[in-house]
Amino acid sequence: DFAAQAAQAEAIALEAAGPGHGDLNLQSPKQLQQVLFAEMGLTGTKKTRTGYSTNAAELQKLYLRTVDDERANRFLGALLRYREVNKLKQIVESLQGSVNARDGRIHTTYEQTVAATGRLSSADPNLQNIPVRTPEGREIRKAFIPSAGNVLVGADYSQIELRLLAHIAGDQAMREAFTA
């Protein structure tokens, strides 16, 4: 489904880009800069050493500024949708490629010493980057089903370092701040 949505968004973006853009790579900042700023005459929002930024946040700002420019607005809307669903497609493909042949399940590796912050990180595949804020991300998460007799648990280690400090130090005022 994500592949079909990405293809549809790409087709809309290429059509909005105009004739001669059949080979436009929607992942190429250089090519996007050419279309957006040179050909469409838009003014970028954030300058980088190679030109105006084409990251998602800056493209979103441009999109909101182009409501009166139908071609640019259509191109940017399709481009943003393409990037969103293409990312989801890549996540699903990665998960599909990670299914263990013996038990049909996905197994990740959690590392405690990789992140500089000391937090857990997940790899092969990274199960911590599956979106939760979008309906599509929630659909991907529904694919994770515990085996019979088990449950999946989600934990948010919000302010874990300070909570541990309060416990270890025996600081009652700090403890109460977390339980209030």
Side-chain angles (χ1 to χ4, degrees), residues 120-155:
L120 286 177
S121 65
S122 171
D124 301 320
N126 181 355
L127 297 182
Q128 293 175 316
N129 76 340
I130 299 171
V132 68
R133 292 185 176 99
T134 64
E136 292 96 343
R138 289 190 289 275
E139 284 299 311
I140 294 171
R141 286 174 174 249
K142 285 182 184 177
F144 292 91
I145 302 168
S147 55
N150 292 296
V151 296
L152 293 177
V153 176

Side-chain angles (χ1 to χ4, degrees), residues 56-68:
E58 300 308 314
L59 290 176
Q60 184 66 38
K61 290 176 191 175
L62 271 177
Y63 175 69
L64 295 173
R65 287 186 4 208
T66 60
V67 291
D68 295 331

Side-chain angles (χ1 to χ4, degrees), residues 84-155:
E84 178 184 357
V85 294
N86 195 51
K87 179 181 176 184
L88 295 170
K89 178 181 84 86
Q90 290 171 347
I91 289 171
V92 170
E93 288 170 349
S94 171
L95 292 173
Q96 288 172 330
S98 299
V99 174
N100 185 295
R102 289 179 308 199
D103 63 8
R105 298 198 159 285
I106 295 174
H107 302 272
T108 190
T109 301
Y110 287 104
E111 299 282 349
Q112 283 186 296
T113 59
V114 173
T117 60
R119 293 182 180 245
L120 286 177
S121 65
S122 171
D124 301 320
N126 181 355
L127 297 182
Q128 293 175 316
N129 76 340
I130 299 171
V132 68
R133 292 185 176 99
T134 64
E136 292 96 343
R138 289 190 289 275
E139 284 299 311
I140 294 171
R141 286 174 174 249
K142 285 182 184 177
F144 292 91
I145 302 168
S147 55
N150 292 296
V151 296
L152 293 177
V153 176

